[in-house]
């Protein structure tokens, strides 16, 4: 795992977007795992700008989102289908037939979860999985005590996740979907490259537990410590509780793999 600290949330999102753009340039048929949530909005703004300014071409990519609420039609403005249309798909040139999210309205939800896993396998697996982290340490909607080898399945959301997401679901926590379909931790760990973006002071403590704490199903993001190629991009506010900050800074300033990104970063 590598942790990279950038000065602020914009710079962190810009770096994440540039890593994604580079992956698309190297492999135009990239299979990209996507996330939703506030943290990702800046990344999608950056990708939309790169598409517009530099003709970044997504037309041959395939995407798989991490999760979707159960019981919300995709036309609901609060669905993750709608989020993705709004923040990314309507702004760049993915082929709609190659963008995938779980169907939270499926008649047979377990069959839908198995089908989603099959679609990922049929696409050849995920090349790059973008991730955020929940305040309870979840990746996707893998809430505390999710099995670290779990696959795509239904999951009940914790009260803290419901409270965190209520403002984006109409504001009334009692009206929110209480369950979701989510890729499992095991599914996420099979991605060839994981890229987690964490910004803001409210994520500082959970970030420190996720990257420097012991691996535990209580904080499913800790499973990323087992991943052979996981990069964690954070801003200064999120980094305040990290013990290894000096080392992480040295990596970004000195390791050759980061040279192309140093010059362009504010
Ligand atoms: C959403 C997802 C979640 C979010 C996490 C952080 O698809 O996978 O794990 O990444 O809840 O959300 P924000 O960025 O809103 O704090």
């Amino acid at each position: 795992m590598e942790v990279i600290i950038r000065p602020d949330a914009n710079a962190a999102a810009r770096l994440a977007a540039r890593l994604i753009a580079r992956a698309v340039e190297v492999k135009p048929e990239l299979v990209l795992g996507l996330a939703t949530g506030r943290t990702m909005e800046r990344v999608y703004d950056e990708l939309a700008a790169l598409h517009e300014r530099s003709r970044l071409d997504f037309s041959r990519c395939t995407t798989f989102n991490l999760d979707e609420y159960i019981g919300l039609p995709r036309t609901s403005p609060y669905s993750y289908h709608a989020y993705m249309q709004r923040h990314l798909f309507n702004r760049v040139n993915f082929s709609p037939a190659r963008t995938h999210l779980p169907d939270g309205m499926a008649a047979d939800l377990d069959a839908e979860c198995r089908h989603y896993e099959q679609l990922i396998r049929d696409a050849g697996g995920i090349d790059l999985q973008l991730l955020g982290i929940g305040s309870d340490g979840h990746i996707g909607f893998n809430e505390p005590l999710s099995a670290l080898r779990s696959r795509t399945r239904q999951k009940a959301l914790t009260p803290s996740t419901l409270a965190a997401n209520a403002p984006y679901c109409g504001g009334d926590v009692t009206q929110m979907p209480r369950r979701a379909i989510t890729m499992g931790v095991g599914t996420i760990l099979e991605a060839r490259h994981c890229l987690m973006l964490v910004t803001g002071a409210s994520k500082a403590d959970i970030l420190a537990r996720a990257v420097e704490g012991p691996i535990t199903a209580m904080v499913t993001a800790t499973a990323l410590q087992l991943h052979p190629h996981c990069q964690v991009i954070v801003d200064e506010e999120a980094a305040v509780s990290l013990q290894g900050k000096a080392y992480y800074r040295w990596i970004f300033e000195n390791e050759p793999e980061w040279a192309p990104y140093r010059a362009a970063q504010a």
Side-chain angles (χ1 to χ4, degrees):
M1 176 181 275
E2 275 180 328
V3 177
I4 299 298
I5 304 172
R6 304 311 303 133
D8 55 40
N10 284 331
R14 207 156 52 235
L15 178 57
R18 288 194 68 208
L19 290 166
I20 295 168
R22 175 88 186 120
V24 173
E25 281 159 9
V26 168
K27 183 179 181 184
E29 304 81 12
L30 194 79
V31 180
L32 183 57
L34 295 171
T36 59
R38 252 164 315 166
T39 314
M40 295 306 140
E41 291 177 13
R42 285 190 174 90
V43 179
Y44 298 151
D45 288 346
E46 287 291 331
L47 290 178
L50 285 170
H51 173 67
E52 174 129 359
R53 275 200 319 264
S54 319
R55 299 262 162 268
L56 181 62
D57 180 13
F58 296 96
S59 63
R60 289 154 69 189
C61 295
T62 298
T63 70
F64 289 95
N65 265 78
L66 286 164
D67 39 26
E68 176 58 287
Y69 292 115
I70 290 174
L72 272 192
R74 63 182 63 195
T75 50
S76 161
Y78 309 134
S79 74
Y80 284 167
H81 279 81
Y83 171 105
M84 290 309 301
Q85 292 298 336
R86 208 163 47 240
H87 291 288
L88 189 62
F89 296 159
N90 287 344
R91 306 165 76 190
V92 301
N93 65 336
F94 286 111
S95 160
R98 281 198 289 273
T99 62
H100 304 90
L101 288 92
D103 179 2
M105 295 293 283
D108 183 339
L109 292 165
D110 290 338
E112 169 62 12
C113 295
R114 288 192 298 273
H115 175 61
Y116 204 65
E117 289 273 334
Q118 188 60 48
L119 287 174
I120 295 172
R121 273 194 297 274
D122 291 348
I126 292 172
D127 291 306
L128 193 169
Q129 177 65 56
L130 185 60
L131 297 161
I133 189 172
S135 47
D136 63 1
H138 68 214
I139 46 175
F141 273 139
N142 291 288
E143 301 289 37
L145 293 187
S146 290
L148 299 185
R149 299 172 74 174
S150 50
R151 312 302 310 187
T152 301
R153 69 208 183 292
Q154 302 177 51
K155 195 71 198 165
L157 305 177
T158 60
S160 78
T161 297
L162 292 171
N165 290 5
Y168 309 96
C169 279
D172 181 355
V173 83
T174 65
Q175 298 301 307
M176 279 192 68
R178 305 192 79 86
R179 315 184 75 235
I181 292 179
T182 180
M183 276 188 210
V185 183
T187 319
I188 292 168
L189 290 182
E190 278 174 14
R192 286 180 272 279
H193 173 186
C194 285
L195 180 62
M196 185 160 78
L197 177 65
V198 185
T199 57
S202 67
K203 298 283 177 69
D205 289 344
I206 197 65
L207 172 69
R209 289 177 67 194
V211 304
E212 295 179 337
I215 295 173
T216 167
M218 281 301 286
V219 179
T220 55
T222 60
L224 295 171
Q225 294 175 29
L226 297 168
H227 194 281
H229 186 201
C230 177
Q231 292 167 323
V232 183
I233 314 288
V234 309
D235 67 356
E236 287 286 356
E237 285 189 357
V240 289
S241 305
L242 296 175
Q243 291 175 19
K245 271 188 285 194
Y247 175 64
Y248 311 148
R249 290 191 213 286
W250 189 92
I251 295 284
F252 185 72
E253 293 307 328
N254 294 281
E255 285 292 85
E257 67 168 304
W258 294 105
Y261 303 98
R262 283 195 286 270
Q265 296 289 315

